[in-house]
Amino acid sequence: MDYILIFISAIFVNNIVLSQFLGICPFLGVSKKVETALGMSAAVAFVLTIATIVTFLIQKFVLDAFDLGYLQTITFILVIAALVQMVEIILKKVSPSLYQALGVFLPLITTNCCILGVAILVIQKDYDLLTGVVYAFSTALGFGLALTIFAGLREQMSLVNIPKGMKGTPIALITAGLLAMAFMGFSGVVKI
């Protein structure tokens, strides 16, 4: 039952982008097309899940074992950077069109505070490995849901006549704010 609560909470109630405001750069940058949003969501889900497993193991068996907790942030950043390089190489071979569509935002996963934030939150919340993986994957699904909905809204907005002063970033920020307010409606669903 705890896993279901974590799952629902991470996707809807405590959405990493819309509630905790982590991962805003790719949220605003890759959300112009649903196709690229789905690709970025998949890449973030993969990196986030694997990074959580690896950083958890490094934290418990290296950093905590040798009393090196002060190296947590730099170690986690290096692990995430290595994983992003691996995803970039795989995408370049498997899906060159998606690799081109993601462009500069794929390397930005390295500095995506969503991934680093979740890796650190798993340690701070004192989750075990399985609970941490469920939390990380659920958070990635929540990120993907928010990103995909936002991309769909931005695609629809490109079809309507928006006043000149509101085009581009202003209307995107207003839409993101409205989407965050919509997700606030889930706030009483799960107490965690």
Side-chain angles (χ1 to χ4, degrees), residues 4 18 38 45 54 69 104 106 108 127 149-150 165 191:
I4 294 171
L18 300 174
L38 289 172
V54 174
V104 72
L106 189 59
L108 285 179
Y127 285 153
I149 290 172
F150 190 56
K191 300 272 194 256

Side-chain angles (χ1 to χ4, degrees), residues 63 68-76:
L63 299 179
L68 298 171
Y70 59 91
L71 293 175
Q72 180 188 55
T73 303
I74 191 71
T75 304
F76 286 11

Side-chain angles (χ1 to χ4, degrees), residues 3-161:
Y3 296 129
I4 294 171
L5 293 176
I6 289 172
F7 185 78
I8 292 170
S9 176
I11 293 174
F12 298 109
V13 179
N14 296 320
N15 188 286
I16 198 79
V17 176
L18 300 174
S19 176
Q20 299 179 34
F21 308 113
L22 294 173
I24 296 294
C25 180
F27 180 72
L28 293 173
V30 187
S31 59
K32 292 182 181 160
K33 292 184 178 180
V34 172
E35 182 183 349
T36 55
L38 289 172
M40 177 60 95
S41 299
V44 166
F46 177 77
V47 171
L48 186 56
T49 305
I50 301 300
T52 300
I53 294 169
V54 174
T55 55
F56 180 88
L57 295 174
I58 288 173
Q59 179 72 37
K60 295 299 177 190
F61 297 113
V62 177
L63 299 179
D64 287 349
F66 296 106
D67 199 28
L68 298 171
Y70 59 91
L71 293 175
Q72 180 188 55
T73 303
I74 191 71
T75 304
F76 286 11
I77 289 171
L78 291 173
V79 167
I80 292 166
L83 289 171
V84 169
Q85 288 300 313
M86 184 177 73
V87 168
E88 194 170 355
I89 291 167
I90 291 170
L91 270 182
K92 198 171 189 178
K93 297 279 187 199
V94 173
S95 180
S97 61
L98 180 58
Y99 176 78
Q100 289 294 331
L102 291 175
V104 72
F105 294 102
L106 189 59
L108 285 179
I109 294 176
T110 304
T111 58
N112 186 347
C113 56
C114 167
I115 296 173
L116 179 61
V118 169
I120 291 173
L121 282 172
V122 166
I123 302 301
Q124 285 179 347
K125 292 182 179 198
D126 202 29
Y127 285 153
D128 59 38
L129 183 58
L130 182 59
T131 307
V133 170
V134 168
Y135 176 72
F137 186 70
S138 302
T139 301
L141 288 179
F143 177 83
L145 176 68
L147 185 63
T148 306
I149 290 172
F150 190 56
L153 290 171
R154 287 185 77 178
E155 278 187 359
Q156 290 298 313
M157 285 188 300
S158 69
L159 302 174
V160 298
N161 189 15

